[in-house]
Amino acid sequence: MKKDKKAEKKQNKKKKQAVDDEQQIVFTDGQEHSDEEMELFFESRKTVRNLIAPLGVNPNPLEYMVVDDNGVELYTMCFYIHALPRMSSFARTYATLFNTPDVTSTVFIDPMVDGQSSKQLDKRIVQLDSESIAAEKEQDRNRFRKINQKLQNAEEYASAVETGDNRLFNVAFLFTLQAASFDDLKRKVTDFHMRAKEKGIDVNACYGVHPEAFISGYPTNRLYVGKRGLAKSVPVKWHVFDKYALLDIFNHTRCGFSHKDGVFVGHIINTGEPVFYNVYDKSHDGFGVIFSGKTGTGKSATIKEMSSRNVDFGYKIRSIDFDARGPRGEYSIEAEMLGGVSFQIKSDSEIVLNPFEVDVTDEFNEITGAEYKVLDLASKKVNLLYLIMTMIKDGREIENFSEEKFIRRIVTDVISECYADKGIIHGQVESLYEQSKVLVNGRLGSGQVKKKLPTLTDFYKRVLIKARENTNAFYERPYRLILDSMKDSVRELYYCKDCMKFYTREEFEEIKKEHGGFCQNCETGELEEIHGTRAYFDGQSTVHVSNETPHINFDISQLPKEERPVAMLICMDFMQESYIKKNSADPKKAKKMIMLIDEVHRSFVYPEARQFISDAYRTYRKRHVSPWVATQALADFDGYKETKAIVKNATTMFLFKQDFQDRKFLAESTPLTSSQLEELFMLGGDLDDENDQENRRGEVCIIDNQSKVAFVKVDYLTASESVIVETNIKKIQEMYKGNTDVNIA
């Protein structure tokens, strides 16, 4: 019987060993580990301390230390606050240090018992009283005044503590900075020092006690004392706070905001607090606004909601419609519903915007307070150079650097000659007008009228003539490139290739019919005809709308996609000449105007376009105009210094759901913390889930003045605003059938 039990026991032991052998796992260190060892808290690794502790430390350098984190060397420096500012602000004074990238912050708070608080204040009062008496004996009036002020404050604190209305605390701050290289660490330390200085805080390094400071920063709630070496003390400095000063250290990274006289946007997601936004709020240094988010997140709806509500406050909206909703652009309906007008630019449209359009500008003398008119033709020529170069290059790079320089030279000269041919001169306002018959109040008379301006056809004609007269071999190819690239932009042109005689359509048809198409001037040259397929902007401008119009929209959504970026720039230039520059430079008279540019990033591939947009932004700021730009992702601004400047100088950013792959650019370009970035990526829910998208559409992160951050759910009235705001084509069709409900979504 005993033998059977021993045999059974031995057999069970073999089975257990076999199971253990099967469960052994070979880890990356080349050693075998069982399932038990792979558990987070197995017998030999019970504590978090053992799990997260570094493999080794080099504590020898006095000014820093090196931590070996699983083969990666991390250069480490620890700092404590040596001197505090005289005044602190809730959630602002210390938040800059707490939120510094790659900094671990630790705050030690030791409440004083009531008796200790009173004893310390009594000691302070006696000390100040003695100094006051000494200052009075020495007849040092200033020192006596300052000490008495401190004495009065100390007595007030003592009274509040004794009555239980206040309390004192010993507080210490410890900051740990780490970097992968010593140079990177020095750079971060310099940045950390500058952030502290801006808040009136002095920080000192834990010289000689870095090991004690480093482990004191671990989540153990313990300060380690240096007992060996040069420094034999705790690695921090204690400061005395009352309960009100203690409240200010709270790292409040999520805050709501609301502007006076702003339009209602929505509610803060977590608190339900209403949010009102005013782009012209006094807290803003500029007026630039960025809207960025994926399709279907509610970006366009929010823009239309806010712009339409601003019209009720007297704002003037100017917009460029890039994407279509059916046969019209997104902002066409809004413009017309608000009492404005929408102009659709397409191949068979009679709407023409002349790129050569120029007008006088109202300038303001700040000294005299008087307004005066100027003709800034020089700036117009620069903008026109950018536009025409963009049309010529069409997104392509010219391989030969010299050729591009020659093309620029030709275009610049021809632009100047076109204006000179009309007698239009920079700085001379009267040169823009001529005497002509005018109809005023039903009566025919004479007066000053604006001259007919040059057109793209005039530009092309002059290039043809100059190419024919050219004798420089280096300019032959540049002329050919200009003519080939601009040919499709000319509406219609008839000329002789030999003698450069130009004909009208009627003359050309008659010559073709009667003389076989040969020139009647030189009798040998064959006539050439041009009918451009992209001649949307050739001719005198046909758009003449008052600057008092609430909303003016240029709809380019029906143009081919590849032609819209250039069309966008021409529309921007026309808006600038006709409306933006018409806004008074006098801040007291200037209208509140929004310039809305949809899908602005589509033109970033053109270098001249980026420079044009950069110059336009400066004009908007000077003219008290708020540029609103919309993109699919904030990272669309990455890659070019001109576009990065738009993000850097933006007053407000409305960030809808962003792509996780853009995390690095978002972290560098915004004040968002790591947790706020994670929340940003979760906004709007799952875009592939129709129900989730319907419920969470309109969730947005608002960053104001690069300091205030709020996560908001945008609200709009489906009964009264849905016709303007809605972008879903199916819902738009339902609305026109009368299938809308009165509710708030």
Side-chain angles (χ1 to χ4, degrees):
M1 190 72 174
K2 287 182 180 180
K3 288 183 179 181
D4 292 341
K5 287 185 178 181
K6 283 183 179 181
E8 184 179 355
K9 189 175 182 181
K10 189 175 182 179
Q11 188 177 2
N12 290 337
K13 187 176 181 180
K14 287 182 178 180
K15 288 181 179 179
K16 184 177 183 301
Q17 182 64 38
V19 172
D20 289 343
D21 291 340
E22 290 178 0
Q23 290 179 344
Q24 285 179 338
I25 298 172
V26 178
F27 204 46
T28 54
D29 56 6
Q31 299 180 5
E32 293 185 348
H33 297 269
S34 66
D35 283 347
E36 181 189 5
E37 289 178 304
M38 297 303 292
E39 293 293 331
L40 186 62
F41 298 108
F42 75 103
E43 186 66 23
S44 301
R45 190 173 60 212
K46 290 183 178 179
T47 64
V48 174
R49 179 175 63 83
N50 290 330
L51 181 65
I52 67 175
L55 297 181
V57 172
N58 177 13
N60 293 324
L62 297 176
E63 67 273 21
Y64 67 95
M65 61 183 288
V66 183
V67 177
D68 181 8
D69 188 9
N70 199 25
V72 178
E73 288 188 342
L74 293 176
Y75 290 80
T76 306
M77 285 188 73
C78 298
F79 292 85
Y80 65 90
I81 292 182
H82 176 72
L84 295 165
R86 292 183 59 85
M87 301 291 292
S88 61
S89 300
F90 174 71
R92 291 188 179 182
T93 300
Y94 305 98
T96 303
L97 299 181
F98 292 153
N99 294 329
T100 302
D102 301 322
V103 171
T104 301
S105 307
T106 306
V107 181
F108 300 93
I109 302 174
D110 183 16
M112 293 186 188
V113 297
D114 293 339
Q116 185 183 2
S117 299
S118 298
K119 186 177 179 180
Q120 183 157 339
L121 287 169
D122 290 344
K123 183 179 179 181
R124 175 68 171 164
I125 291 171
V126 171
Q127 181 184 4
L128 290 172
D129 194 32
S130 300
E131 292 184 14
S132 176
I133 294 171
E136 187 176 17
K137 285 182 179 180
E138 295 173 2
Q139 295 184 350
D140 189 341
R141 186 69 186 84
N142 288 329
R143 182 165 174 255
F144 177 76
R145 172 178 54 82
K146 293 176 182 177
I147 292 174
N148 272 2
Q149 182 64 45
K150 292 181 179 180
L151 181 60
Q152 183 181 349
N153 291 338
E155 288 176 343
E156 290 177 358
Y157 275 119
S159 177
V161 169
E162 289 167 358
T163 57
D165 293 334
N166 205 341
R167 193 173 183 183
L168 299 185
F169 301 81
N170 284 317
V171 181
F173 300 84
L174 183 63
F175 304 95
T176 303
L177 281 71
Q178 290 188 307
S181 68
F182 187 54
D183 290 337
D184 195 19
L185 178 65
K186 288 190 291 185
R187 181 185 59 79
K188 291 182 179 180
V189 167
T190 302
D191 178 60
F192 186 71
H193 267 282
M194 292 301 296
R195 288 171 180 251
K197 285 292 184 184
E198 289 175 358
K199 297 297 183 180
I201 299 173
D202 286 339
V203 292
N204 287 357
C206 300
Y207 188 86
V209 287
H210 271 100
E212 290 78 12
F214 181 70
I215 59 176
S216 295
Y218 267 52
T220 57
N221 195 27
R222 177 180 173 185
L223 272 172
Y224 291 84
V225 181
K227 295 182 180 180
R228 294 186 178 87
L230 298 176
K232 297 179 175 60
S233 64
V234 293
V236 296
K237 180 179 178 179
W238 292 97
H239 304 272
V240 178
F241 281 43
D242 71 341
K243 68 178 183 181
Y244 302 107
L246 190 64
L247 288 174
D248 290 343
I249 71 172
F250 180 63
N251 188 19
H252 195 283
T253 56
R254 295 182 182 178
C255 61
F257 68 91
S258 195
H259 294 153
K260 186 179 180 181
D261 300 326
V263 297
F264 175 69
V265 178
H267 294 85
I268 293 179
I269 294 175
N270 296 328
T271 65
E273 177 186 352
V275 175
F276 295 85
Y277 180 76
N278 178 13
V279 70
Y280 289 98
D281 188 78
K282 292 181 179 179
S283 65
H284 292 165
D285 294 329
F287 317 115
V289 182
I290 294 175
F291 294 85
S292 176
K294 295 183 175 182
T295 302
T297 56
K299 175 186 62 181
S300 298
T302 301
I303 295 173
K304 289 187 280 187
E305 174 216 76
M306 292 179 60
S307 59
S308 62
R309 291 176 182 178
N310 272 306
V311 169
D312 294 334
F313 287 82
Y315 283 55
K316 308 301 178 185
I317 312 297
R318 308 291 177 253
S319 59
I320 300 174
D321 225 337
F322 197 93
D323 284 332
R325 286 294 180 268
R328 309 187 70 187
E330 284 189 302
Y331 303 99
S332 300
I333 296 176
E334 176 189 350
E336 294 171 359
M337 293 288 290
L338 295 175
V341 59
S342 179
F343 298 101
Q344 191 170 71
I345 299 171
K346 54 184 180 179
S347 57
D348 57 348
S349 172
E350 295 181 359
I351 304 301
V352 177
L353 305 181
N354 185 5
F356 284 83
E357 189 68 44
V358 66
D359 212 335
V360 295
T361 305
D362 294 328
E363 293 293 349
F364 176 65
N365 189 322
E366 295 182 359
I367 299 175
T368 62
E371 287 187 305
Y372 58 96
K373 296 186 181 298
V374 298
L375 178 59
D376 188 6
L377 189 61
S379 296
K380 174 61 185 180
K381 289 178 181 178
V382 172
N383 288 342
L384 194 52
L385 170 64
Y386 293 147
L387 290 175
I388 293 179
M389 285 300 296
T390 303
M391 297 170 74
I392 292 171
K393 295 170 71 174
D394 196 24
R396 301 183 302 269
E397 289 295 331
I398 297 176
E399 297 178 1
N400 192 313
F401 176 77
S402 299
E403 281 187 352
E404 182 166 349
K405 287 293 183 182
F406 293 151
I407 292 174
R408 283 180 176 272
R409 182 73 269 156
I410 294 169
V411 172
T412 301
D413 291 342
V414 172
I415 290 173
S416 296
E417 291 171 11
C418 285
Y419 281 114
D421 187 54
K422 300 292 184 179
I424 302 172
I425 304 170
H426 172 73
Q428 298 184 17
V429 175
E430 65 279 2
S431 68
L432 190 61
Y433 300 94
E434 62 184 0
Q435 200 74 16
S436 180
K437 298 291 183 181
V438 293
L439 188 65
V440 181
N441 296 328
R443 295 183 179 182
L444 187 64
S446 61
Q448 293 280 350
V449 297
K450 191 174 178 180
K451 293 178 180 178
K452 284 191 174 182
L453 297 170
T455 64
L456 289 177
T457 294
D458 296 328
F459 175 87
Y460 196 84
K461 284 181 179 180
R462 192 162 290 277
V463 175
L464 279 170
I465 295 171
K466 290 175 74 70
R468 174 64 184 272
E469 297 173 350
N470 175 56
T471 57
N472 189 334
F474 291 107
Y475 276 84
E476 289 182 3
R477 177 173 165 80
Y479 273 117
R480 191 166 66 252
L481 287 173
I482 295 173
L483 292 172
D484 290 344
S485 300
M486 296 296 293
K487 188 174 183 179
D488 278 336
S489 299
V490 177
R491 190 172 297 275
E492 61 175 340
L493 183 62
Y494 310 93
Y495 66 98
C496 172
K497 293 187 291 184
D498 290 347
C499 67
M500 286 297 136
K501 167 76 174 175
F502 295 96
Y503 295 93
T504 63
R505 183 196 305 172
E506 293 76 13
E507 291 172 339
F508 171 77
E509 290 177 351
E510 182 180 349
I511 292 173
K512 189 176 182 180
K513 181 179 180 181
E514 300 292 336
H515 305 283
F518 288 95
C519 176
Q520 295 304 293
N521 184 48
C522 64
E523 297 184 351
T524 57
E526 187 175 354
L527 297 189
E528 182 82 8
E529 62 177 317
I530 296 176
H531 298 280
T533 58
R534 299 183 297 179
Y536 320 113
F537 303 104
D538 187 17
Q540 299 297 323
S541 299
T542 59
V543 174
H544 304 285
V545 183
S546 169
N547 214 9
E548 297 297 325
T549 306
H551 192 159
I552 300 173
N553 179 60
F554 287 137
D555 182 3
I556 61 174
S557 64
Q558 302 305 306
L559 294 176
K561 273 193 173 183
E562 63 274 9
E563 297 174 18
R564 293 181 206 171
V566 173
M568 177 200 299
L569 298 178
I570 294 176
C571 290
M572 285 179 62
D573 183 64
F574 186 86
M575 288 276 198
Q576 186 166 304
E577 290 293 332
S578 303
Y579 305 111
I580 306 299
K581 288 185 177 180
K582 295 291 185 181
N583 204 25
S584 177
D586 184 354
K588 297 179 181 179
K589 296 182 180 179
K591 298 179 179 66
K592 293 180 178 179
M593 187 178 294
I594 294 172
M595 179 64 196
L596 172 57
I597 311 166
D598 192 21
E599 301 294 320
V600 67
H601 62 284
R602 302 289 182 89
S603 63
F604 288 170
V605 294
Y606 308 107
E608 291 80 11
R610 297 195 298 270
Q611 188 60 52
F612 175 85
I613 293 171
S614 178
D615 292 347
Y617 258 71
R618 285 192 285 271
T619 302
Y620 296 155
R621 183 182 179 88
K622 182 180 178 181
R623 291 290 160 181
H624 205 63
V625 174
S626 173
W628 289 16
V629 294
T631 67
Q632 295 289 324
L634 191 67
D636 290 331
F637 292 94
D638 192 14
Y640 312 104
K641 64 177 183 179
E642 301 93 342
T643 56
K644 285 182 178 179
I646 295 176
V647 177
K648 182 178 179 181
N649 297 320
T651 297
T652 311
M653 287 185 276
F654 289 77
L655 301 183
F656 295 81
K657 190 180 187 70
Q658 301 288 307
D659 198 317
F660 186 81
Q661 294 178 348
D662 300 331
R663 183 188 184 97
K664 182 178 179 182
F665 181 76
L666 288 164
E668 293 173 349
S669 306
T670 68
L672 297 178
T673 63
S674 297
S675 60
Q676 289 172 332
L677 283 172
E678 295 299 330
E679 187 169 355
L680 174 64
F681 299 136
M682 298 300 294
L683 290 179
D686 184 359
L687 297 183
D688 295 328
D689 186 336
E690 188 174 344
N691 293 328
D692 198 20
Q693 183 182 358
E694 182 68 24
N695 295 330
R696 300 187 59 184
R697 184 169 175 261
E699 293 181 351
V700 60
C701 172
I702 304 178
I703 304 174
D704 193 56
N705 267 344
Q706 287 291 330
S707 58
K708 299 177 182 177
V709 178
F711 289 88
V712 177
K713 176 67 169 67
V714 177
D715 299 326
Y716 70 89
L717 302 170
T718 57
S720 59
E721 293 182 319
S722 55
V723 177
I724 295 175
V725 171
E726 188 56 63
T727 57
N728 188 314
I729 191 64
K730 292 182 179 180
K731 291 189 176 182
I732 293 175
Q733 292 173 344
E734 291 178 359
M735 286 188 291
Y736 280 105
K737 296 176 183 177
N739 296 333
T740 56
D741 298 323
V742 180
N743 58 10
I744 296 179

